[in-house]
Amino acid sequence: MSALDQLWVWNDPAIKDRLSWYLAVAENRKPAKFRIARTITTALSLADASEDALWHELERLTPVFLERVLRIRDKGEPLGPTASRPHLLDLCRELAQRMLRHCNFCRWNCRVDRSAPAKLGTCKLAAESRVSTYFHHTGEELVYRGRLGSGTIFFTSCNMRCAFCQNGDISTDKDNGMRVDPRTLATMAWLLRMEGCHNINWVGGEVTIHLHTIVEAISLLGDGLASPSRDDLRTALRVKNDWSLYDSLPASAQYGGAFNAPMLWNSNFFMSDEAMRILRVLIDVWLPDFKFGPGRCAITLARTPRYWETVTGNLELIHRWGEDLTIRHLVMPNHVECCTKPVLEWIAEHMPEVPTNIMDQYHPDTFCDPSGEKFDPRYTDIARRPTMAEIRESYRYAKALGLKYETITHEKGLADIFI
Ligand code: SF4
């Protein structure tokens, strides 16, 4: 057993049941999905195939892949050798590159060619990805931060426009941070895991809009980025933002002698079906942020149409797939009735067993901070912290609905004074 396994939080069956695959990969008892994807070959010539043919091949291989995941998970079957190229991971990489040329990574479905941009989509990005910073995140949920942190990589820009964004410096400034190619990105992930991080936490801004770079980086990790060069490390270290020095712990980063780490998708979940289908092969645990109710709040506060149907659709999908996940919901001032309650009701109706973190740390930020230069008076109703009564009512409602929220919400031992 390692540091993560020993934490008290796993004594809650609701947590352990829902995150058992993630924990097994984090502890290197099982290989991450991206490692399994490399054991499944395709006879398709990827560069020559039409995009339709590539999707068709993904449809064909996904059940084969899932069956192998189940045999490894439930029957203890060994990983098996890497397949000859191209394999399923190569197929995912090729599909992400094709999608970039008519971008449909997310529900905006902008259809712009980000590889040779004459026009930009809602996220304002071309092909380049930038990382603002990355580090051992010790503020995430205990199941993710463990003792040595969640290996969190923050990308710039976003496909939503939340006026209150709690990471506005990153999401509203697409040129923040450092340009990364897949090799630098893979080096960042490698470094975090070698230093003991329990997972690789892909986040932003929004992460979906960087799908092509991330898939390519995961692919390089699968190829055994065994020891990045001095130059790789020097480049990657430029935006690493850890306060402590960490020992190198190679044993905590390997399964069967090769790099291993659970991939965590920390996202607003405003993704396209196509992005979901690729990610199903790569992601070990999902961390969706479920913000707004079914009314107009996603439009008025985030200028995002079709929010409810998209996010609930994607949540239903990963739930039906039997994926590991926890949900986050941030309680906003004056939005308990229109957002918090409908969100909690939906979770209670569709996936009541999924651990849900009801977060109380909202603070007015970005366009909602009355003391900031960017303040927009249209957002006066959310220009304050939630009251204790609003937080207490949110918890009361979750409890009445029978949600599994208490362990994951109160584990820092602060919030339970509100009950
Ligand atoms: S990632 Fe989304 S917002 Fe950005 S160009 Fe693609 S479809 Fe549009």
Side-chain angles (χ1 to χ4, degrees):
M1 292 222 295
S2 82
L4 188 63
D5 239 352
Q6 291 168 12
L7 295 173
W8 64 267
V9 74
W10 303 108
N11 295 334
D12 180 344
I15 303 274
K16 187 143 196 170
D17 291 353
R18 201 64 230 187
L19 296 174
S20 60
W21 174 258
Y22 155 67
L23 182 59
V25 178
E27 296 294 275
N28 300 307
R29 292 194 301 268
K30 301 289 178 191
K33 280 190 184 172
F34 74 89
R35 298 275 314 273
I36 301 173
R38 300 178 79 250
T39 67
I40 293 169
T41 194
T42 169
L44 218 54
S45 169
L46 300 183
D48 303 327
S50 69
E51 192 176 333
D52 277 352
L54 295 174
W55 284 114
H56 192 264
E57 184 68 347
L58 183 65
E59 284 306 294
R60 189 181 75 79
L61 292 181
T62 298
V64 179
F65 166 77
L66 294 173
E67 205 177 296
R68 192 159 296 172
V69 171
L70 285 182
R71 287 204 306 269
I72 288 171
R73 190 188 75 182
D74 299 337
K75 303 209 163 95
E77 195 172 286
L79 176 62
T82 299
S84 56
R85 315 277 304 239
H87 49 54
L88 180 54
L89 197 48
D90 296 323
L91 175 61
C92 292
R93 201 185 51 200
E94 181 69 26
L95 274 167
Q97 288 298 331
R98 299 289 182 98
M99 286 171 75
L100 188 73
R101 296 181 205 161
H102 53 78
C103 189
N104 58 337
F105 287 166
C106 80
R107 182 60 192 269
W108 282 105
N109 195 20
C110 299
R111 296 272 158 194
V112 292
D113 182 354
R114 288 176 51 187
S115 67
K119 230 167 93 176
L120 297 176
T122 302
C123 63
K124 306 278 183 226
L125 294 180
E128 176 180 291
S129 286
R130 296 181 78 86
V131 166
S132 172
T133 183
Y134 71 104
F135 51 88
H136 293 232
H137 199 323
T138 54
E140 302 288 61
E141 290 87 344
L142 184 54
V143 291
Y144 302 126
R145 73 176 185 276
R147 292 200 168 106
L148 289 169
S150 173
T152 308
I153 303 177
F154 287 88
F155 291 85
T156 64
S157 198
C158 193
N159 54 353
M160 292 179 69
R161 297 286 181 271
C162 301
F164 54 88
C165 184
Q166 315 279 283
N167 280 334
D169 52 334
I170 302 171
S171 64
T172 63
D173 177 10
K174 73 179 176 58
D175 298 323
N176 191 301
M178 179 180 108
R179 180 183 177 278
V180 289
D181 61 18
R183 188 164 180 92
T184 302
L185 193 53
T187 304
M188 292 172 173
W190 180 89
L191 208 47
L192 290 167
R193 182 64 168 166
M194 291 295 276
E195 292 175 347
C197 284
H198 305 291
N199 46 69
I200 303 303
N201 183 344
W202 306 102
V203 71
E206 171 54 26
V207 66
T208 304
I209 57 184
H210 300 277
L211 182 70
H212 58 302
T213 316
I214 295 171
V215 175
E216 191 101 31
I218 293 176
S219 182
L220 286 171
L221 290 168
D223 286 345
L225 187 80
S227 50
S229 69
R230 221 171 243 272
D231 280 350
D232 290 333
L233 288 169
R234 195 176 300 126
T235 307
L237 283 167
R238 278 173 46 202
V239 290
K240 192 167 189 285
N241 196 17
D242 279 310
W243 292 96
S244 312
L245 286 175
Y246 292 90
D247 292 332
S248 183
L249 305 166
S252 72
Q254 292 189 347
Y255 174 91
F259 183 85
N260 196 50
M263 298 293 149
L264 189 165
W265 199 251
N266 187 345
S267 162
N268 61 27
F269 255 50
F270 198 64
M271 294 172 281
S272 66
D273 287 348
E274 292 84 352
M276 293 291 290
R277 282 152 67 190
I278 292 175
L279 290 167
R280 187 181 192 184
V281 173
L282 305 173
I283 297 304
D284 298 289
V285 60
W286 306 73
L287 185 45
D289 192 5
F290 193 0
K291 298 183 215 290
F292 302 112
R296 288 191 50 77
C297 298
I299 302 276
T300 55
L301 298 184
R303 289 192 275 147
T304 305
R306 298 183 296 274
Y307 175 84
W308 178 264
E309 71 201 61
T310 305
V311 173
T312 56
N314 285 335
L315 282 168
E316 277 185 305
L317 211 50
I318 54 170
H319 189 251
R320 195 179 328 132
W321 290 344
E323 298 283 299
D324 283 25
L325 80 148
T326 62
I327 298 174
R328 282 179 177 169
H329 172 73
L330 181 66
V331 178
M332 294 181 292
N334 287 317
H335 284 263
V336 172
E337 296 301 321
C338 52
C339 292
T340 297
K341 288 187 175 177
V343 161
L344 299 180
E345 283 163 17
W346 188 91
I347 296 168
E349 186 179 341
H350 295 87
M351 46 195 76
E353 80 288 2
V354 172
T356 301
N357 184 3
I358 302 171
M359 301 189 295
D360 66 350
Q361 65 261 48
Y362 176 94
H363 60 275
D365 206 328
T366 311
F367 301 107
C368 303
D369 177 2
S371 64
E373 282 173 11
K374 296 185 195 161
F375 178 64
D376 183 334
R378 282 180 302 168
Y379 303 117
T380 301
D381 75 322
I382 54 169
R384 63 166 172 83
R385 289 181 181 268
T387 62
M388 202 171 277
E390 286 172 321
I391 298 294
R392 195 185 293 123
E393 174 60 7
S394 302
Y395 294 158
R396 186 200 65 76
Y397 204 70
K399 192 169 194 135
L401 289 167
L403 291 184
K404 303 290 183 198
Y405 79 98
E406 286 167 298
T407 302
I408 203 154
T409 299
H410 299 319
E411 46 89 347
K412 285 185 184 156
L414 295 173
D416 45 4
I417 59 172
F418 298 132
I419 295 284

